Amino acid sequence: MVPVLIAGLLAMVAAVVIGPRFIELLRTRNLGQQIRAEGPATHVVKQGTPTMGGLLILASAILPFLALSQYTAEGLTVLFVTLGCAAIGFTDDYLKLRRRHSLGLPGRWKMILLVAVTVGAALLLQETSSFTTTIYVPVVGWDLHLGVLFYPFLFLVIAGTVNGANLTDGIDGLAAGTVVIMLLTFLAVAGIAWIRSGSPGHRSDVYLDVATLAAALIGGTIGFLWYNASPAEVFMGDTGSFALGGAIAGFAIVTGTELLLPLIAAIFVIEVLSLIIQVVSFKRTGRRVFLIAPIHHHFEMKAWSETKIMVRFWILHGILCAIGFALFYRYYLNFRA
């Protein structure tokens, strides 16, 4: 597991060291965040804060991974989904900055591009050693054969996770912190799977590669969080939220834990559900369930500080990720043994 530790440390140090110059470069190029008019009034002061900080995460994480990678199909699949989603987010950020408006790439184009990422991921998955269109249902121990329906399911996993990450990126440190907890969970999943894959010296490169990428992204995200903690000096932008959402989806897909995502990515699920509930309620009854959606803004309107929201969401998410990992350890390993 030495490459895993080295990748994480290199990525974290790189992000912290490069951070100030990167932020200054964004500032001098006037690449500042455009704030939505309908958002909380307290966010007006954030107008112009440097954005597209996701580039810092990616640059810090991807280079150490490439230097230490075993270049397995599984690792490259996660990398492809991460970079493919990052490209969509980058396009969205670029259009927002160019137009000086909070609206960027139209939603239908985001969905079309996410379909393209899903197709690429599916092609790469078919090259993996454990490719299957069957998903495992924990607790009940079922193998659910999806056949061709696996590919729409793949799209739902990727698109849903990416949009959840994007919605969560609404206050300083919230998305970055919760993603670190998710990545730590997948690092533990890959680590346990690697240990169980064979005797010392004969263990699978697949899980080591997945763990190396997870560690590199953890390091890069922690380094970014150093500058993103409230009050943020830089935002990750859609470049970062799309990339990290794609990475989380990719890890779930290659480890076969897609059905654990409601727990491992629980905050994403809560954020998406809060918005859906708000929209449906308002359209059908004319009444709002939350003061404003997604839900983290609701607590802002109730005068919770951003730091209080962030830390409490981190705590809740840590508990849910622990439950998700416990289910993986109990069912995925034992039923598959």
Side-chain angles (χ1 to χ4, degrees):
M1 295 292 278
V2 172
V4 176
L5 296 174
I6 294 175
L9 287 173
L10 284 177
M12 182 176 64
V13 171
V16 172
V17 171
I18 297 170
R21 292 185 180 180
F22 176 78
I23 294 169
E24 185 58 31
L25 176 63
L26 295 176
R27 188 174 288 114
T28 56
R29 291 180 177 272
N30 200 27
L31 300 177
Q33 179 73 27
Q34 303 298 311
I35 301 299
R36 292 186 304 131
E38 63 271 23
T42 54
H43 284 212
V44 174
V45 297
K46 299 183 180 186
Q47 179 78 22
T49 301
T51 188
M52 298 177 76
L55 293 173
L56 176 63
I57 299 173
L58 292 173
S60 302
I62 301 306
L63 292 178
F65 170 71
L66 292 177
L68 297 164
S69 176
Q70 304 295 317
Y71 294 95
T72 63
E74 287 81 357
L76 292 177
T77 298
V78 181
L79 181 62
F80 171 79
V81 177
T82 302
L83 294 179
C85 293
I88 300 171
F90 178 85
T91 304
D92 195 37
D93 282 335
Y94 174 78
L95 292 175
K96 289 177 183 177
L97 293 167
R98 183 178 180 182
R99 297 168 180 171
R100 298 295 171 188
H101 197 280
S102 62
L103 298 178
L105 191 65
R108 64 180 179 277
W109 281 106
K110 291 179 184 177
M111 290 297 105
I112 291 171
L113 292 171
L114 284 170
V115 168
V117 170
T118 303
V119 170
L123 292 173
L124 285 169
L125 277 173
Q126 292 173 16
E127 301 301 319
T128 62
S129 58
S130 58
F131 173 72
T132 177
T133 57
T134 297
I135 60 172
Y136 178 68
V137 183
V139 182
V140 294
W142 295 344
D143 283 323
L144 190 60
H145 301 282
L146 295 181
V148 294
L149 293 178
F150 175 77
Y151 300 102
F153 173 73
L154 201 65
F155 171 75
L156 290 176
V157 170
I158 294 173
T161 310
V162 165
N163 281 285
N166 189 239
L167 285 175
T168 304
D169 185 32
I171 63 174
D172 300 348
L174 178 59
T178 52
V179 165
V180 167
I181 297 171
M182 296 178 210
L183 291 171
L184 284 168
T185 304
F186 282 117
L187 176 60
V189 165
I192 293 295
W194 178 73
I195 292 170
R196 296 284 294 268
S197 67
S199 59
H202 297 87
R203 288 172 177 154
S204 172
D205 288 340
V206 168
Y207 299 114
L208 184 62
D209 218 23
V210 171
T212 301
L213 181 53
L217 287 169
I218 289 168
T221 307
I222 289 175
F224 167 80
L225 186 58
W226 184 266
Y227 302 104
N228 182 240
S230 183
E233 300 173 55
V234 63
F235 298 140
M236 69 170 63
D238 288 351
T239 306
S241 62
F242 273 55
L244 294 175
I248 297 301
F251 284 121
I253 291 165
V254 300
T255 58
T257 55
E258 300 96 335
L259 295 187
L260 291 182
L261 270 180
L263 286 170
I264 296 176
I267 292 300
F268 292 177
V269 175
I270 292 169
E271 296 279 4
V272 171
L273 286 178
S274 70
L275 186 60
I276 293 173
I277 291 168
Q278 185 85 325
V279 171
V280 171
S281 175
F282 187 75
K283 284 186 175 181
R284 293 199 172 187
T285 68
R287 300 177 62 183
R288 292 180 173 86
V289 176
F290 305 102
L291 296 175
I292 188 173
I295 195 169
H296 58 262
H297 289 322
H298 169 81
F299 290 111
E300 280 190 278
M301 298 297 286
K302 292 177 72 69
W304 286 25
S305 70
E306 289 195 22
T307 301
K308 178 178 285 188
I309 297 169
M310 177 188 71
V311 172
R312 288 183 174 177
F313 274 45
W314 285 3
I315 293 170
L316 173 62
H317 191 63
I319 294 170
L320 294 171
C321 278
I323 295 172
F325 178 75
L327 288 174
F328 165 79
Y329 191 83
R330 172 63 180 86
Y331 292 100
Y332 283 76
L333 290 178
N334 291 345
F335 274 130
R336 298 284 188 181

